[in-house]
Structures are given as structure tokens and as C-alpha cells.
Amino acid sequence: MKKLCLVLAVLAFAGSGAFAGSDAEKGKGGGKAALVGIAMPETHVQRWQKDGANLKAAVEKRGLRGDVAYGDADQNQQNRQIQTFLTNGAKLLIVANINDGVAAAIADAARDKVPVIAYDRLIMNSGDYDYYITFNNYKVGQFQGQGIEDGLQLKSATPDNPKYITLFAGSPTDNNAKFFFDGAMSVLNPYVKSGVLKVVGPYPETSADSSKFQQIATENWQAPIAKNRMENLLNADAANVKLDAVLAPNDTLARAIIEACLADAKYAAASGGKLPIITGQDAEFASALSIKNGQQYMTVFKDTNKLAEAAVALAEQIINGNTNPSIPGTVLATGDLTSIGNTGKKTVKAYLLEPIIIKQNNVNVPADAGFYSQQEAAQLK
Ligand code: BGC
């Protein structure tokens, strides 16, 4: 009797639709559209809020469903969010990870046969996915190096009148941070060697010098950490020199560094209030305004509207069973660039978009590409 009751109860439950198959199993035509899980790393760097919204919109434009979750720079939290996507029957995941602790969640996706696209940040130490889409991040770093080269006129500088620079890098857990730094140092190292440029504070020649790289890195890209380090530098290593430049890896950290400089009375007196040449990346509106007003020197525009669009075009092709997608507006990394997709466990297909260097003379380029609201764009004119 007990058994019969159980069987009846189970049948009733199944009839209620609870076992009627996940949304993803129903696929596109047969009921609800396929679900794409979108896992973004953090909201304290503005771009990710935009990325999340753009990705969801691009997914929905294609008749798929998109769910977005933000990991708050906490990999455990993001892993739980990925689990929820899988439980909800996601057909594909788009993941911008926080650190390589994500590999366990990616392994679960592979077990469930759910393909993963690493978005913007490569997922390291995982052999459980096949696709990566990002910008040419080495070039982003080269642009930052070139910004300093131009801003300090290093090509015509001489060792008897050297320029002083201090170095910051992004999060040591973000593989991109290494590309940015190495790209920048590929431009700056020759000037250090020739004595034209002097590094104040730790000087890793490349990110491979991990103990020195760790000293200049900024855990989880947190602005207060960079601000604090800049304040300390101004009171210690840089106390007796006038800094001519700061290599800052993105706009959020650049503005934190600017704040530290502006708040330092000694620095302001010694430098006549003139800020060092400070680099950035992401073309955040606040930084574009700062460039227009002559504070931040440069940024790098990565059109994340296009990145999201390309990522979703890739997602659609993968969902449709194409194992060799070609994505307009991107270049598939081959030759020397192939290593961009090397996770340490396998080399995934890496699709690259081109970044653009932004200085005062072309500060309107992102606005012209529709990157800011109309109200913001008007403030830059
Ligand atoms: C992204 C940058 C961003 C940084 C901090 C990097 O992985 O490529 O655009 O500024 O993370 O969120």
C-alpha cells in the first residue's frame, strides 16, 4: 500500500510538470527558448555591469533566454551561480571568471555537456572548455606603454635628464593582468635599460618575475588597494623624486591613483600640482572626462558592445552544433597569437577584437561608437 501511494504521488508530481524536462531540453522551437547563463565577475569595475546587460540583450535578441549573475569578486559565489545555471538547464555558459578556482565549476559544466565560452578573461588550468573571446590584451598593454613613451617624449629623452615612473598591475589572479603588463613593458624596458627611464619602487621586467609582480599587483582590481599603495609610495620610495609617470592598468585604478596624488600636499607642492602621465584602460566615462580635462593621460577603448555581440554570435553557432565558428569582427588567434588561448591544460580557440588607444585628441571616439549615453557624450564635446 505504502508503495502504491508513493507511485501515485510520483505520478501526480510528474503530471504537474515538474519532470516535464528542463527548458534547455525543450530547445528553441519546442517550448521555452534555450537558456544561456551569463556569469560576470564583479560590479566594482563599471564595465562588467554594461557587459552583463549587453550580453543579456544580445542573447534575447536572438530569441534565447539570458540570466546574468555577478560574482562580487568571490570565486565561490560565482561557482554557486554557475551551479544554479546548470541546475536550471542552461544550454551554454558565458563566463568572465575571478580566479582559476572556477575550473571546478567548468568541469561540472563539461560533465553536463554544457559548452562554456571564457569571456574577456581566459579560464586557466582547465581543459574542460573550447572557446575564448577577448581583445588583443597584449596590444592593450603596448598602447599603455606607448602612451607613456609619447607623454614623456622618451624617444628624445637622454639619461642625463631621466624620467621617473612607478608601476602598477592588475589582479594577480587575472591572466589578463599579465598580458597588459608585459605589453606595456615591451615598450618601456628598452628605455629603462638605456637609463632614460628610472623605475621608482619594485621593477619586474615582466610578469614572469612573480615575486616583484606580486608587489605591484592589485588584488581583485580593488581601487582602495591601489590608492593606498600610491599614498605609501608618495611617502616612501617616491618621497624625494618628482614622478613623471604611473603605469596604471585600468581606469578604475588610474582614478584612485590620481586621487592619491591630488591629496598629497607634499607631492602637489613639489610638482606644482601637475599630475604624472597616468595610463588606463576601459574608456570609462569618468576617465574620458578626466582625459578631456587634462588629468588622466590616456585610456584604451575596448568596445565591449561589440565583444558582447560577438560572444553571443559565437554562443549561437555553438548551440547550433558548429564546432568551427567564424565570428565577424574578430580574428581567430593563430601563429604567435595562438598561445593567448593556452590555459595550461589545453589551447582553446581564441577570438580577438582590436582595442583603440584614446588620448585627448580622439577622446570622442567611444562616444561616436555609441559607448556613452547621449548626456555623457555631450559633456565630452
Ligand atoms: C578586463 C579589464 C578590466 C579588469 C578589471 C580585466 O580582466 O579585461 O577590462 O578593467 O579586468 O575588472
Side-chain angles (χ1 to χ4, degrees):
M1 183 62 193
K2 246 191 190 167
K3 242 187 194 167
L4 184 67
C5 287
L6 190 66
V7 169
L8 288 176
V10 166
L11 285 177
F13 190 42
S16 75
F19 290 159
S22 68
D23 296 333
E25 279 159 358
K26 286 178 188 165
K28 267 203 207 169
K32 269 195 184 171
L35 175 67
V36 174
I38 301 163
M40 296 289 103
E42 61 215 19
T43 50
H44 69 265
V45 173
Q46 200 190 32
R47 66 159 285 185
W48 299 110
Q49 302 181 31
K50 235 186 189 176
D51 283 90
N54 283 340
L55 284 163
K56 187 173 163 65
V59 160
E60 287 172 356
K61 202 174 78 188
R62 285 175 163 75
L64 306 166
R65 283 186 303 135
D67 270 358
V68 186
Y70 292 94
D72 293 335
D74 174 347
Q75 192 58 60
N76 291 332
Q77 178 171 324
Q78 187 178 66
N79 285 5
R80 286 192 296 274
Q81 293 168 335
I82 291 174
Q83 296 300 346
T84 304
F85 290 145
L86 294 175
T87 309
N88 291 345
K91 269 273 191 198
L92 181 141
L93 302 177
I94 297 178
V95 179
N97 71 104
I98 294 137
N99 61 49
D100 59 9
V102 73
I106 304 306
D108 289 342
R111 181 207 55 210
D112 290 0
K113 303 208 168 20
V114 174
V116 172
I117 299 174
Y119 181 83
D120 195 87
R121 299 176 172 175
L122 189 66
I123 294 170
M124 297 302 289
N125 297 319
S126 170
D128 290 319
Y129 71 105
D130 296 306
Y131 303 97
Y132 176 38
I133 188 158
T134 192
F135 288 86
N136 184 332
N137 290 318
Y138 190 76
K139 202 179 251 186
V140 170
Q142 284 177 314
F143 283 158
Q144 293 172 337
Q146 284 163 18
I148 289 170
E149 186 182 48
D150 293 347
L152 297 184
Q153 298 178 326
L154 291 178
K155 281 183 183 149
S156 55
T158 51
D160 53 335
N161 183 19
K163 307 286 182 189
Y164 292 90
I165 186 171
T166 196
L167 307 172
F168 282 70
S171 183
T173 58
D174 178 350
N175 188 55
N176 284 348
K178 299 183 180 129
F179 276 103
F180 302 145
F181 185 73
D182 291 338
M185 296 317 286
S186 71
V187 178
L188 300 177
N189 280 330
Y191 294 110
V192 181
K193 290 223 164 70
S194 70
V196 158
L197 192 61
K198 297 232 181 282
V199 179
V200 177
Y203 171 39
E205 271 185 52
T206 69
S207 61
D209 183 347
S210 47
S211 68
K212 285 199 184 123
F213 185 72
Q214 198 69 34
Q215 292 171 37
I216 64 155
T218 313
E219 192 71 28
N220 279 331
W221 298 89
Q222 294 284 355
I225 297 180
K227 186 170 176 202
N228 193 260
R229 182 166 168 247
M230 190 66 206
E231 287 163 355
N232 291 339
L233 270 160
L234 289 170
N235 285 311
D237 293 338
N240 300 314
V241 290
K242 182 183 130 324
L243 273 184
D244 297 297
V246 181
L247 175 68
N250 79 351
D251 288 348
T252 309
L253 303 189
R255 294 197 306 276
I257 290 165
I258 290 173
E259 266 178 46
C261 291
L262 293 177
D264 188 83
K266 247 189 325 169
Y267 175 81
S271 62
K274 195 174 162 293
L275 284 164
I277 298 293
I278 299 178
T279 59
Q281 131 173 237
D282 289 336
E284 285 185 6
F285 173 68
S287 283
L289 208 53
S290 173
I291 291 171
K292 183 185 173 230
N293 296 334
Q295 293 200 319
Q296 190 173 320
Y297 185 73
M298 60 80 70
T299 186
V300 180
F301 174 40
K302 302 190 299 185
D303 193 337
T304 49
N305 296 344
K306 289 197 175 140
L307 181 68
E309 189 53 40
V312 174
L314 179 59
E316 191 178 41
Q317 292 194 34
I318 297 168
I319 290 175
N320 289 339
N322 183 351
T323 51
N324 207 8
S326 112
I327 308 300
T330 71
V331 168
L332 184 60
T334 52
D336 281 356
L337 295 179
T338 315
S339 64
I340 288 178
N342 184 356
T343 76
K345 292 237 165 119
K346 86 190 261 191
T347 299
V348 297
K349 284 197 169 77
Y351 296 83
L352 305 178
L353 284 83
E354 280 299 302
I356 299 173
I357 185 167
I358 302 293
K359 292 196 274 188
Q360 211 173 37
N361 62 0
N362 68 343
V363 76
N364 278 302
V365 166
D368 294 343
F371 198 62
Y372 306 128
S373 71
Q374 276 183 357
Q375 214 184 9
E376 288 171 340
Q379 290 180 62
L380 294 171
K381 297 282 176 202

